[in-house]
Amino acid sequence: MDPTRHRKNFYLANARWLGAGLLCTFGSSFGQTYFIALFASQFMALHGLSDGDWGTLYAGATLTSAALLIKAGPLADTMSLRKLAILVIAGFALICVGMALHESIVMLFLMVLGLRFFGQGMIGHVGMTATARWFQARRGRAIAITSLGYGIGEAVLPALAVLAMALVGWRGTWLLAAGILILVFGGALWVLLARDREPQGGETSGPATGALGRHWTRPEALRHWSYWALFPGILTPSFIGTVIFFHQAHVSGEKGWSLIEMAAGYPVYAACAMIAVFIAGRITDGFGALTLLPLFLLPTGLGIALLGTSDAVWIWGVVLGCIGFGSGFSSALNGAVWAEIYGTRHLGAVRALAVSVMVFSSAIGPAITGLLIDAGITLERQGIVMMLWCFGLSAVFVLVARRLRMLVATPA
């Protein structure tokens, strides 16, 4: 059969499930840092917050959401995915309404907590967990499609949100987000998830086993060295990516770039992330997700280091392009590697802890780097250290991947 036709047949035959996964990750956009940060000046003005106050509130809400995710993540193993997705969308939309109507700083904290839990955490977790469970032989390709939702959101939502604020105000924009979540995302997921999927054709029917031919539970994974060996690398892209976006105003001031000039870098970031997930998907299908382990941090490390190489504004696009490429690699790896090592029967529980660690790193990143900036250590100088961290971990992951590949190949 013609390979191109075969690929088209795969995408067409599985459009229902691939579309559901993509909608979950796209829907997470309303709870991501880049979207919430668009409203920072309004929140700070309403409640009389300083930059430090807002950063502390945001970090506290994000850390709390990470803790909740550890408890809620295993629902992806035990509850109907259709029911869970609709419940998460409903909660997400309710939080958006609360954000539009809130007046007190306590409510702001609770609403940011809800946005981070339902948006950055649960809805993306549902989509990526479901995709990894639904597909085995073509898991990489399927995860690439699902991960596109993140890039699409990064590419289009900031501009649309700014336009909406100009037309209906910031409160009206949050109400609009709530309506879109319920009517568009909720309605579509209700239809698309009406049928579940089992791996078919040449794929194993039912849950796929992981290393040593086993279905690993979360306690079993936590007792094994492999889980902890992966954690330093898993948290790094989230840490560095959030730092870059959160401190863009600082970069603007240090470099003398306007935020409008810097905005041109976001489509570059999104495009590179989307290209990277497809490259990573093909690598995963052909050679396994563990092949990505020594590679996925290299673009991120290079990107953050390049920030200090030039004061010309074009370097910002290069920086975001590299970090976007690393983000795409990271999305593909995180979608597939847990299923490859630990199997799919308890994937929601195993993956939830990893996602909570990424959420945790996105909370502490701006706080740690902000304190260092206050101490006189510029983000450019910090970037050199981050690059060395990424490159050093990549070298370590060559050995980790080799040992893990042996475990995965070992029969029960």
Side-chain angles (χ1 to χ4, degrees):
M1 179 182 289
D2 177 17
T4 302
R5 183 180 176 186
H6 185 65
R7 285 195 296 271
K8 288 181 179 177
N9 288 342
F10 168 75
Y11 294 129
L12 290 173
N14 295 287
R16 168 188 293 272
W17 299 283
L18 295 173
L22 186 149
L23 281 174
C24 285
T25 55
F26 185 20
S28 76
S29 300
F30 298 108
Q32 301 287 359
T33 297
Y34 67 84
F35 187 82
I36 300 172
L38 295 171
F39 302 85
S41 59
Q42 286 86 355
F43 297 153
M44 291 164 66
L46 178 64
H47 301 291
L49 301 175
S50 68
D51 287 297
D53 294 334
W54 166 239
T56 301
L57 182 148
Y58 191 78
T62 301
L63 289 172
T64 306
S65 75
L68 292 175
L69 187 60
I70 297 174
K71 292 289 187 181
L75 291 174
D77 296 325
T78 59
M79 184 180 288
S80 156
L81 284 173
R82 186 191 199 195
K83 183 182 296 183
L84 179 59
I86 297 303
L87 285 175
V88 170
I89 287 291
F92 200 0
L94 186 62
I95 291 294
C96 289
V97 173
M99 184 62 86
L101 302 179
H102 89 277
E103 295 290 347
S104 73
I105 194 168
V106 173
M107 286 300 297
L108 175 63
F109 176 86
L110 292 176
M111 294 306 104
V112 173
L113 165 59
L115 291 174
R116 301 299 275 165
F117 172 72
F118 289 110
Q120 187 196 28
M122 278 300 292
I123 192 60
H125 172 62
V126 169
M128 294 295 277
T129 300
T131 302
R133 182 177 290 132
W134 284 331
F135 299 91
Q136 184 180 347
R138 296 176 181 83
R139 182 179 290 143
R141 238 173 264 180
I143 286 173
I145 295 294
T146 293
S147 298
L148 274 180
Y150 293 122
I152 293 170
E154 290 157 350
V156 304
L157 274 189
L160 292 177
V162 171
L163 177 61
M165 280 192 278
L167 295 175
V168 298
W170 70 267
R171 292 184 187 273
T173 301
W174 282 108
L175 290 175
L176 185 60
I180 291 172
L181 282 169
I182 287 292
L183 298 177
V184 178
F185 290 90
L189 288 173
W190 180 259
V191 173
L192 294 174
L193 293 175
R195 287 170 51 198
D196 205 351
R197 185 189 193 276
E198 291 287 349
Q200 298 166 1
E203 303 176 352
T204 303
S205 179
T209 58
L212 305 177
R214 292 166 48 191
H215 294 287
W216 295 66
T217 64
R218 186 160 71 186
E220 288 172 339
L222 286 171
R223 288 194 294 268
H224 197 261
W225 66 267
S226 58
Y227 206 74
W228 301 103
L230 293 172
F231 263 32
I234 296 303
L235 64 83
T236 296
S238 180
F239 182 101
I240 295 177
T242 304
V243 163
I244 278 289
F245 287 123
F246 198 87
H247 289 304
Q248 59 184 303
H250 166 77
V251 174
S252 172
E254 287 290 313
K255 296 286 194 178
W257 303 335
S258 72
L259 291 176
I260 294 176
E261 289 176 317
M262 294 172 71
Y266 290 104
V268 177
Y269 173 92
C272 288
M274 288 188 278
I275 291 169
V277 293
F278 278 102
I279 294 173
R282 296 301 297 271
I283 292 173
T284 298
D285 287 344
F287 306 100
L290 291 172
T291 305
L292 294 173
L293 200 56
L295 305 174
F296 81 108
L297 292 177
L298 297 178
T300 301
L302 177 63
I304 189 68
L306 286 175
L307 185 61
T309 61
S310 175
D311 287 336
V313 71
W314 61 263
I315 199 68
W316 179 245
V318 177
V319 168
L320 289 190
C322 289
I323 291 176
F325 208 90
S327 175
F329 262 35
S330 178
S331 292
L333 179 73
N334 283 308
V337 74
W338 308 107
E340 189 170 305
I341 299 173
Y342 304 111
T344 59
R345 180 170 292 166
H346 308 290
L347 183 59
V350 170
R351 192 177 180 278
L353 183 56
V355 174
S356 72
V357 169
M358 288 187 284
V359 174
F360 174 81
S361 70
S362 73
I364 64 172
I368 293 173
T369 53
L371 290 173
L372 291 174
I373 290 171
D374 289 346
I377 303 173
T378 66
L379 194 60
E380 292 179 2
R381 290 166 62 191
Q382 294 179 48
I384 300 300
V385 177
M386 294 181 203
M387 178 195 71
L388 294 174
W389 169 265
C390 290
F391 284 17
L393 273 180
S394 295
V396 172
F397 280 156
V398 172
L399 303 177
V400 172
R402 186 178 302 164
R403 287 195 63 185
L404 287 175
R405 203 173 282 114
M406 292 171 60
L407 279 177
V408 170
T410 303

